[in-house]
């Protein structure tokens, strides 16, 4: 591996395929070691039992995490109909008596899905990273505490049934159904809670046995790399080949600016766009301001009252660092 002084600076977005049993924090720690970088952050936690897409921000691109956490997500999930667990997934202890579920028909399962599409309310599970009073809920749960949580509104944009298989008994339990489904949802949606709600509407406990995140906004799992692949690329000094420019991940209109406007924005100044607008902006709309080489200069907002582009996060000038 080239030395730190020889290695070119890595800045941008890296798509990683998180393996099962790794926490999102584990992945970041591994990348810090492999890439020999400290400034690394992810844009949305995945539970240890889950796998799939983590969007990783490198170096100055960590400034953009706040703009990427709200992206729409897509998952492939498998639930078991038969009992509920304390965590909502297979890693937790049963909290309901295991019951047979093979008598539940496909049509019955399909009949409960429409009522779960659209805007619904969810109560965050105790085993989640959501904070209450400065502490994560799962920390309280591990102490045996159950606290009142406020329900939040989320949106289930797509919920489609996949395959259904019979599980002939787990740990000498009764035969149950495993149900695969695909969900497209807003940020902040708990798929474990959704699985439990499907079971509740069918009159039986349910928990997740598998979860894989396949999309975050415009980022697809097919473009993600395993940790082993990234380690190999790092040894060859080729990680820069797969780092994405931040502008490809931000879901904001792209606004090109001149060299003079770029300089002004990099100094924190608002500007009036000298050229034509690619798309007429709305007041308060976020914009991806790019220079002549299509590099992200700033995430900005449009001030309708003054007609000015106001920088909110400035990326700086790499050539001067």
């Amino acid at each position: 591996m080239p030395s730190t002084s020889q290695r070119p600076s890595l800045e941008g977005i890296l798509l990683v395929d998180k393996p099962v049993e790794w926490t999102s924090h584990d992945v970041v720690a591994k990348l810090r070691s492999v890439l020999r970088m400290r400034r690394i952050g992810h844009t949305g936690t995945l539970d240890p039992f889950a796998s799939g897409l983590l969007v990783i921000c490198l170096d100055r691109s960590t400034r953009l995490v706040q703009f990427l956490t709200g992206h729409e997500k897509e998952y492939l999930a498998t639930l078991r109909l038969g009992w509920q667990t304390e965590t909502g997934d297979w890693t937790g202890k049963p909290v309901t008596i295991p019951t047979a579920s093979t008598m539940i028909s496909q049509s019955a399962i399909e009949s409960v899905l429409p009522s779960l599409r659209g805007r619904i309310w969810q109560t965050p599970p105790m085993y989640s990273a959501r904070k209450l009073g400065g502490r994560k809920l799962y920390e309280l749960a591990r102490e045996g505490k159950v606290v009142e949580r406020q329900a939040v509104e989320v949106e289930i944009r797509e919920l489609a049934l996949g395959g259904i298989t019979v599980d002939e008994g787990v740990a000498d339990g009764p035969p149950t159904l495993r149900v695969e489904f695909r969900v497209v949802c807003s940020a902040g949606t708990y798929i474990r809670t959704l699985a439990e709600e499907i079971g509740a509407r069918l009159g039986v406990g349910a928990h997740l046995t598998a979860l894989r995140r396949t999309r975050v906004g415009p980022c697809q799992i097919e473009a993600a790399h395993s940790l082993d692949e990234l380690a190999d690329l790092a040894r060859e000094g080729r990680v820069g080949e797969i780092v994405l420019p931040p502008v490809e991940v931000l879901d904001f209109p792209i606004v090109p600016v001149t060299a003079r406007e770029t300089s002004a924005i990099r100094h924190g100044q608002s500007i009036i766009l000298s050229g034509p607008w690619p798309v007429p902006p709305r007041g308060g709309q976020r914009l991806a301001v790019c220079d002549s080489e299509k590099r992200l200069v700033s995430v900005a907002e449009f001030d309708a009252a003054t007609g000015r582009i106001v920088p909110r996060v400035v990326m700086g000038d790499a050539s001067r660092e």
Side-chain angles (χ1 to χ4, degrees):
M1 180 186 291
S3 68
T4 303
S5 60
Q6 295 173 324
R7 175 178 56 78
S9 176
L10 294 174
E11 179 179 307
I13 307 299
L14 199 59
L15 305 184
V16 178
D17 189 346
K18 185 191 88 66
V20 174
E21 297 184 359
W22 283 60
T23 68
S24 302
H25 178 76
D26 290 338
V27 172
V28 170
K30 177 67 173 179
L31 291 175
R32 284 175 176 156
S33 174
V34 167
L35 303 179
R36 293 188 293 171
M37 297 176 63
R38 297 305 303 167
R39 297 175 68 183
I40 299 179
H42 64 78
T43 68
T45 300
L46 267 177
D47 291 325
F49 83 94
S51 67
L53 184 60
L54 273 182
V55 178
I56 301 292
C57 297
L58 304 178
D59 201 9
R60 294 177 304 175
S61 295
T62 54
R63 303 173 188 175
L64 304 175
V65 167
Q66 60 183 304
F67 304 114
L68 299 174
T69 55
H71 273 331
E72 177 181 86
K73 312 289 197 302
E74 184 169 345
Y75 298 89
L76 295 177
T78 304
L79 66 85
R80 177 187 286 121
L81 294 172
W83 65 90
Q84 196 169 339
T85 70
E86 61 183 358
T87 59
D89 60 68
W90 66 267
T91 67
K93 298 177 181 179
V95 294
T96 60
I97 298 173
T99 57
S101 61
T102 53
M103 75 294 296
I104 299 175
S105 67
Q106 178 175 330
S107 60
I109 298 171
E110 290 176 333
S111 70
V112 306
L113 300 186
S115 62
L116 291 169
R117 299 186 185 112
R119 294 190 175 275
I120 63 173
W121 291 88
Q122 283 190 335
T123 300
M126 280 301 303
Y127 282 87
S128 68
R130 189 176 292 269
K131 289 186 176 181
L132 182 67
R135 298 194 64 190
K136 294 178 179 178
L137 288 177
Y138 69 75
E139 294 174 342
L140 298 173
R142 288 170 181 170
E143 296 173 2
K145 299 176 181 177
V146 178
V147 297
E148 185 175 351
R149 290 95 70 200
Q150 185 174 359
V152 296
E153 188 178 36
V154 299
E155 185 175 4
I156 308 298
R157 290 160 190 162
E158 295 182 38
L159 179 58
L161 183 64
I164 299 175
T165 57
V166 175
D167 195 329
E168 292 296 345
V170 178
D172 298 324
T176 57
L177 291 182
R178 286 181 186 252
V179 180
E180 298 174 357
F181 62 98
R182 182 181 67 87
V183 59
V184 177
C185 57
S186 62
T189 302
Y190 290 97
I191 308 302
R192 288 175 291 151
T193 302
L194 180 63
E196 289 176 332
E197 186 60 31
I198 291 173
R201 298 190 182 203
L202 292 167
V204 65
H207 62 275
L208 286 182
T209 60
L211 181 65
R212 183 164 176 78
R213 186 156 68 194
T214 57
R215 181 171 66 84
V216 177
C219 303
Q220 303 279 351
I221 188 63
E222 290 79 10
H225 298 266
S226 71
L227 291 173
D228 287 342
E229 290 173 333
L230 289 167
D232 290 340
L233 288 170
R235 281 191 291 270
E236 298 167 6
R238 298 174 51 213
V239 175
E241 298 175 8
I242 62 169
V243 174
L244 301 175
V247 72
E248 292 186 11
V249 179
L250 289 168
D251 193 20
F252 305 144
I254 296 175
V255 178
V257 292
T258 65
R260 185 173 182 177
E261 292 165 341
T262 295
S263 178
I265 287 176
R266 283 187 170 137
H267 285 87
Q269 301 171 16
S270 62
I271 65 167
I272 294 178
L273 190 66
S274 59
W277 282 97
V279 178
R282 306 183 306 273
Q285 184 173 20
R286 288 174 176 165
L287 307 168
V289 179
C290 294
D291 63 15
S292 59
E293 296 183 21
K294 297 182 180 180
R295 295 174 301 195
L296 183 68
V297 176
S298 170
V299 173
E301 289 183 4
F302 178 66
D303 185 339
T306 63
R308 303 184 76 85
I309 296 173
V310 182
R312 296 306 182 198
V313 171
V314 178
M315 298 305 292
D317 185 353
S319 66
R320 296 177 180 271
E321 296 185 356

